[in-house]
Amino acid sequence: MSENEIYPYGAPEHPSVSKIDLTKLKPYGDALNDGRTQVSFTLPINPSPEAEEVARKLMEKMGFIDTKVVCMEKPSEGFSYFVCYGATEYTIDFTKIHVVKVEAEFKTFSEINDLIKSKIKRKLVILGATTGFDAHTVGIDAIFNMKGYNGDYGLERYPWIEAINLGAQVLNEDLLDKARELKADAILVSQIVTEKDCHIKNLKSLMQLAEEKGVLQNFIFICGGPRLNHPIALECGLDAGFGPGTLPSHVASYVVDEFMRRKKVRE
Amino acid sequence: MKLNLNKKQISECRSIAKKIGLQVQKALSQNTSVASERTFLRLLGVDQAKHISENNQFYPYANIIIDDLVKNDTISDGVLFWMANACLHFKKDPKEVSEYLVKENISLTEIKLEKRSLIEKKSKDLAKAALEKICKTRSQRDVFIKKYKDTFPKSSTHPLKYVIVASGNIFEDIVQARSAAQAGAEVIAVIRSTAQSLLDFVPHGATTEGFGGTYATQENFKIMRRALDEEGEKIGRYIRLTNYSSGLCMSEIAAIAAIERLDFLLCDSLYGILFRDINMQRTLIDQHLSRMICAVSEIYINTGEDNYLTTADAIENGHQVLASQFINERFALSANMKPQFMGLGHAMEMNPWHKDVILLEIARAQMTRDIFPEAPLKYMPPTKHMQGDVFFSHTYDAIFNFVSSLTKQGIHLVGMPTEAIHTPFLGDRYMALKSCNYIFGGSESLYNEIQYKKGGKIEKWSQKVLTDSLKLLKSIEKKGLFKSIEEKCFAEVSRSLTSGKGYNGVIQKSSDYINPLYDYLKEGKYVRK
């Protein structure tokens, strides 16, 4: 058996059990390698046998074979709603996948505080804001507020972090000025609204402004939001990006690690 | 009352909220604001805007005129005084006067002053005409309600199904709103563009671009109202329209909504302070005017306590929601609103993986029902713990639908399986409404069948929330609302009396201030018995 072939978890060794070929990975519906996938969409025409055929043809164009339209309903005049199934023939080589990830070892609340206390020997200053037109503070609040999120304490609770949450609709200019004034170590930007890619434009213009002001190296730039991730952050010129489900301790872990990397503080 | 809550505590909460309300009213009785003054102009019919070529935007006449009074340091007399004088002088109505002022670039203060008694008389006539116009709009709604035998809120058979459209383009919004109405939606809210709450003017005309929503403009209101009336005619229901009386222009939106026959307005007394960092004096002045207008127009207000549960922990902060509801109720009562028009807000936002969380949610929802028996409670769906697994989200929303029906909530914001992913697809709204239709229909009579175990978990927990709320209200009364907000009594947010946006728009009234429009609203003269 090659190292790229593994048995499905828990499968007994039996001639009928096929192995997973990691170089040719595809969806598991109710059997290995059946490739079956569910898709749902709406068409701007009333349901009809012709509309159903359109849905099926669309599925085929999307690369599915053995397609089934299992539901066609009329949500309202002029629209049809579909649930479809199909099998994909595409496979992906898992062994060749490379993902850019945030470089940090996730630590607990007390590990983070101990590390700052013993190695950095002063409080880390972290500034946060939702910037631009975006008025949603739910993300930045989940990371900053004392209570935190899902049982993970917020940055304000860390005795060794000075966490300052500037709230929503903060201008990039003001954010950088404030960061300079407060001698921030890291800047956290939350972006929830993504209409017409305004979150990308906003982040890029923040970094451009930072460059113009010559403060690019002064701070660790981090962004977060439901439609953000690390590669997008790097693309926009930031140092790290966090997506949905991020806990305050994830962010704090990264800031501490990155700070020590930059200042060459040894653990 | 289904839960055996301490009635004495409930009435104590109300009397404390009353004292808190009186403290605030006393502190702000001599104040008005630039937004409030613009609102009076809008009520008088000044609805035009000037095209500014530099930024290709429209700047409202209401702003131009009030900016001028501010510049001339005469705003403290009130715009009604100056406008009545100009109407007398030119023998024109306010709209014509404003047209002339802007065109000729002259100031209200340049116009020769007529005798004060004549100005007083004229301003009364203007005020009466403005309020009669709103009453006329109100009676248009009566016709629809009667025609369709609409029973909301008193004899509703189920929580009113409320969905959001937010394409940014009012013409696209119409397509989605009509579709949702056919799928069972009874209220359509057009979410505003995310920047609008902090604009100190109301944008103008039909708009086709926005961020995370569609601008609230008088023209957009008109367009959507017409579309919903047409669709309602086809499906034989009155479809209600909602927008947002919040932000720096909250009272202007209320005025426009009253004129264009909106039915609901998000209108919270504290939301702007806590979540938009708008100055507290400005907000409290403007919310009072907004609600007085709603009282005459019979627009249902929706309050924003759900927000406390998303920014802070929903299990631990139930008492803040209840305390704030008592305060919102008090501010609405003092604006002459009747309880049946108060869509007090709350939400199902507790951590779904907490043990017995569904019991706790039922407890909070039923407790709120018991404490505010006449209010059509506005119940918001889970958002905080939604992440992208649409199949889980759909189940989560189904439980929300069930709790809402079980506890007879008034206004039900239909949760979307794609919450936290994107503004809903047309198909998302359909599947969400289908779930509501099933659950509301299938449990229509459940409320009347259910009793809760005496001394059981549900009862005990709701009593605890009530006790904690009373404690919180007592401490707010002791410190005063302003100081309490500064000390983070709600949603862990601190704001001070003179900080925040829009503070420079707070105005001390002069001894010459004349405003019968405000006086009539305050007296409740046009509020229907």
Side-chain angles (χ1 to χ4, degrees):
Chain A
M1 182 168 134
S2 104
E3 61 175 287
N4 293 330
E5 290 200 334
I6 54 169
Y7 277 105
Y9 173 77
E13 269 190 55
H14 185 267
S16 71
V17 177
S18 4
K19 280 172 270 184
I20 303 167
D21 181 351
L22 290 177
T23 63
K24 288 184 183 145
L25 206 58
K26 64 191 317 198
Y28 183 121
D30 81 341
L32 188 64
N33 294 328
D34 63 5
R36 297 205 68 82
T37 306
Q38 54 207 12
V39 179
S40 165
F41 54 84
T42 304
L43 289 176
I45 49 169
N46 277 328
S48 66
E50 290 77 13
E52 190 174 333
E53 192 52 26
V54 170
R56 199 187 323 278
K57 283 210 167 340
L58 272 171
M59 288 293 286
E60 281 167 12
K61 278 205 166 180
M62 286 187 240
F64 294 107
I65 56 162
D66 189 16
T67 57
K68 285 195 186 82
V69 176
V70 298
C71 158
M72 173 174 68
E73 292 191 15
K74 184 177 177 179
S76 57
E77 186 57 35
F79 288 97
S80 43
Y81 168 79
F82 296 92
V83 178
C84 308
Y85 283 84
T88 180
E89 287 191 288
Y90 294 117
T91 62
I92 298 293
D93 185 350
F94 180 70
T95 62
K96 298 267 160 57
I97 294 288
H98 175 70
V99 176
V100 189
K101 280 179 279 196
V102 173
E103 282 177 49
E105 207 180 295
F106 291 144
K107 294 174 259 294
T108 65
F109 176 81
S110 49
E111 284 167 354
I112 295 165
N113 281 307
D114 289 348
L115 205 56
I116 305 175
K117 188 179 168 188
S118 61
K119 301 288 173 191
I120 303 174
K121 299 187 174 72
R122 67 160 174 88
K123 281 188 180 187
L124 282 181
V125 182
I126 306 182
L127 201 59
T130 304
T131 57
F133 280 153
D134 202 336
H136 299 81
T137 57
V138 57
I140 201 80
D141 289 342
I143 301 297
F144 271 78
N145 282 4
M146 282 281 177
K147 291 246 168 56
Y149 179 70
N150 233 349
D152 198 82
Y153 289 147
L155 301 183
E156 288 171 353
R157 186 88 145 231
Y158 285 69
W160 284 88
I161 291 177
E162 170 114 24
I164 304 138
N165 183 355
L166 299 179
Q169 299 188 330
V170 177
L171 297 175
N172 285 335
E173 175 102 37
D174 296 346
L175 178 61
L176 291 176
D177 289 348
K178 200 84 191 167
R180 228 171 359 183
E181 179 193 322
L182 297 170
K183 297 197 170 61
D185 297 299
I187 296 178
L188 254 66
V189 179
S190 168
Q191 294 278 276
I192 304 235
V193 175
T194 55
E195 199 145 320
K196 296 176 188 76
D197 274 342
C198 65
H199 61 311
I200 304 284
K201 288 174 200 154
N202 208 2
L203 290 172
K204 282 185 174 165
S205 75
L206 171 71
M207 298 316 291
Q208 203 182 338
L209 195 65
E211 192 168 3
E212 284 164 19
K213 286 176 176 273
V215 294
L216 214 47
Q217 301 308 319
N218 300 22
F219 317 113
I220 302 168
F221 287 93
I222 304 166
C223 63
R227 299 275 74 79
L228 287 172
N229 56 35
H230 191 53
I232 296 178
L234 296 185
E235 187 197 314
C236 295
L238 287 91
D239 299 304
F242 291 89
T246 301
L247 299 175
S249 62
H250 294 167
V251 179
S253 298
Y254 168 74
V255 173
V256 175
D257 284 2
E258 180 64 19
F259 184 87
M260 300 208 302
R261 260 194 297 274
R262 289 191 184 189
K263 305 280 174 195
K264 302 200 169 52
V265 180
R266 252 185 276 137
E267 263 190 57
Chain B
M1 227 163 76
K2 284 191 182 283
L3 299 167
N4 188 27
L5 299 169
N6 185 331
K7 292 197 184 76
K8 209 175 133 236
Q9 282 184 342
I10 297 175
S11 56
E12 207 177 338
C13 284
R14 283 216 162 81
S15 66
I16 294 173
K18 189 172 181 177
K19 285 183 208 152
I20 295 170
L22 285 173
Q23 291 167 355
V24 171
Q25 266 177 307
K26 208 174 146 206
L28 298 175
S29 65
Q30 289 315 305
N31 288 320
T32 177
S33 82
V34 286
S36 287
E37 294 296 318
R38 295 195 298 257
T39 304
F40 300 126
L41 277 180
R42 287 191 179 272
L43 287 172
L44 297 183
V46 179
D47 59 6
Q48 316 95 299
K50 185 181 175 182
H51 185 251
I52 311 288
S53 46
E54 288 100 81
N55 54 11
N56 197 24
Q57 273 188 351
F58 286 92
Y59 197 58
Y61 283 13
N63 285 69
I64 295 175
I65 293 169
I66 300 302
D67 290 351
D68 176 69
L69 291 182
V70 170
K71 200 179 84 195
N72 286 307
D73 211 8
T74 44
I75 184 73
S76 57
D77 300 332
V79 71
L80 234 75
F81 171 85
W82 294 103
M83 185 49 92
N85 179 57
C87 290
L88 281 172
H89 183 84
F90 294 118
K91 301 196 170 49
K92 286 180 179 194
D93 69 27
K95 186 167 178 164
E96 291 163 347
V97 167
S98 67
E99 199 63 51
Y100 179 74
L101 294 175
V102 174
K103 208 171 122 213
E104 303 296 327
N105 193 21
I106 57 171
S107 167
L108 274 178
T109 55
E110 287 171 48
I111 299 159
K112 186 172 159 275
L113 270 190
E114 305 284 336
K115 267 211 295 224
R116 189 168 171 93
S117 61
L118 287 177
I119 297 175
E120 274 174 21
K121 160 107 191 14
K122 182 68 189 175
S123 61
K124 277 183 187 160
D125 293 344
L126 291 175
K128 279 179 197 154
L131 291 171
E132 276 159 15
K133 196 166 110 190
I134 293 183
C135 293
K136 223 172 123 189
T137 310
R138 183 178 72 193
S139 44
Q140 282 171 3
R141 187 192 296 116
D142 293 344
V143 175
F144 285 104
I145 298 291
K146 209 170 150 197
K147 179 172 154 190
Y148 297 128
K149 301 191 175 63
D150 188 290
T151 57
F152 178 81
K154 232 180 158 182
S155 323
S156 292
T157 55
H158 59 266
L160 207 66
K161 287 166 279 179
Y162 173 127
V163 301
I164 279 163
V165 294
S167 77
N169 178 342
I170 189 67
F171 302 105
E172 193 75 55
D173 286 344
I174 282 178
V175 174
Q176 299 191 12
R178 283 178 179 249
S179 166
Q182 287 181 34
E186 294 159 301
V187 191
I188 302 292
V190 182
I191 288 268
R192 295 199 299 182
S193 183
T194 183
Q196 190 166 355
S197 56
L198 300 184
L199 290 181
D200 213 347
F201 64 93
V202 180
H204 184 80
T207 65
T208 55
E209 270 188 54
F211 292 96
T214 309
Y215 284 105
T217 72
Q218 187 157 2
E219 188 58 25
N220 286 350
F221 285 7
K222 218 183 273 227
I223 291 169
M224 185 55 88
R225 176 75 273 165
R226 205 182 306 132
L228 295 185
D229 285 348
E230 275 174 29
E231 198 56 50
E233 179 80 43
K234 279 190 200 152
I235 54 183
R237 279 196 274 119
Y238 183 56
I239 303 162
R240 292 183 165 82
L241 177 57
T242 304
N243 212 284
Y244 297 76
S245 173
S246 60
L248 287 169
C249 296
M250 71 189 298
S251 54
E252 288 182 87
I253 298 285
I256 297 171
I259 294 166
E260 301 300 339
R261 191 169 31 90
L262 268 66
D263 305 286
F264 288 7
L265 283 175
L266 279 282
C267 182
D268 193 279
S269 53
L270 307 174
Y271 172 83
I273 305 170
L274 299 170
F275 301 104
R276 292 287 179 266
D277 194 15
I278 294 174
N279 175 258
M280 57 172 98
Q281 301 184 51
R282 169 79 175 257
T283 299
L284 290 165
I285 293 163
D286 291 346
Q287 67 84 28
H288 185 56
L289 177 57
S290 303
R291 288 175 174 199
M292 290 194 299
I293 295 169
C294 289
V296 175
S297 323
E298 297 186 353
I299 291 176
Y300 292 80
I301 57 163
N302 293 181
T303 63
E305 282 86 352
D306 51 291
N307 293 284
Y308 302 170
L309 300 173
T310 53
T311 46
D313 186 88
I315 296 177
E316 291 172 39
N317 289 294
H319 65 293
Q320 292 187 3
V321 170
L322 182 57
S324 169
Q325 285 166 333
F326 278 116
I327 293 174
N328 256 317
E329 178 191 53
R330 166 43 48 192
F331 281 132
L333 285 169
S334 57
N336 305 313
M337 292 198 76
K338 297 193 197 79
Q340 81 206 59
F341 292 103
M342 299 177 197
L344 298 173
H346 63 137
M348 191 175 104
E349 290 280 16
M350 294 178 194
N351 183 345
W353 310 107
H354 191 281
K355 203 170 158 57
D356 276 338
V357 66
I358 298 174
L359 273 71
L360 298 186
E361 294 287 12
I362 291 171
R364 240 184 31 73
Q366 185 59 50
M367 172 202 75
T368 318
R369 178 71 291 154
D370 283 353
I371 295 176
F372 304 98
E374 285 175 78
L377 302 173
K378 158 87 178 280
Y379 200 28
M380 300 287 283
T383 58
K384 188 179 181 179
H385 297 278
M386 292 276 197
Q387 282 194 356
D389 176 359
V390 294
F391 305 102
F392 170 72
S393 299
H394 202 43
T395 311
Y396 195 5
D397 279 334
I399 291 295
F400 167 68
N401 297 344
F402 182 74
V403 173
S404 183
S405 179
L406 174 72
T407 58
K408 229 179 170 56
Q409 300 297 307
I411 304 160
H412 180 87
L413 200 139
V414 179
M416 294 290 144
T418 49
E419 174 70 43
I421 302 177
H422 49 228
T423 47
F425 289 173
L426 195 130
D428 299 340
R429 262 185 225 105
Y430 171 64
M431 65 186 281
L433 281 161
K434 193 172 168 186
S435 162
C436 275
N437 294 340
Y438 158 54
I439 292 165
F440 289 177
S443 62
E444 192 179 301
S445 311
L446 189 56
Y447 183 79
N448 298 324
E449 299 287 321
I450 286 282
Q451 278 181 327
Y452 295 93
K453 188 175 156 189
K454 228 177 145 69
K457 276 191 170 173
I458 291 182
E459 195 172 277
K460 272 194 192 147
W461 202 73
S462 49
Q463 178 56 48
K464 179 186 174 320
V465 174
L466 174 59
T467 307
D468 290 349
S469 301
L470 179 58
K471 220 183 287 170
L472 177 60
L473 282 166
K474 278 182 180 163
S475 108
I476 295 174
E477 188 210 347
K478 211 165 131 201
K479 295 178 196 161
L481 184 62
F482 301 144
K483 187 85 190 144
S484 301
I485 290 176
E486 197 169 338
E487 293 179 6
K488 301 191 185 183
C489 72
F490 293 118
E492 299 174 30
V493 175
S494 165
R495 306 293 186 208
S496 76
L497 193 59
T498 54
S499 74
K501 303 172 183 89
Y503 174 59
N504 57 5
V506 175
I507 294 151
Q508 181 86 24
K509 295 177 188 171
S510 76
S511 54
D512 286 336
Y513 188 87
I514 290 183
N515 194 340
L517 196 41
Y518 183 87
D519 299 338
Y520 293 154
L521 284 169
K522 198 166 172 59
E523 288 160 21
K525 200 169 158 174
Y526 290 81
V527 176
R528 198 143 52 165
K529 295 285 165 283

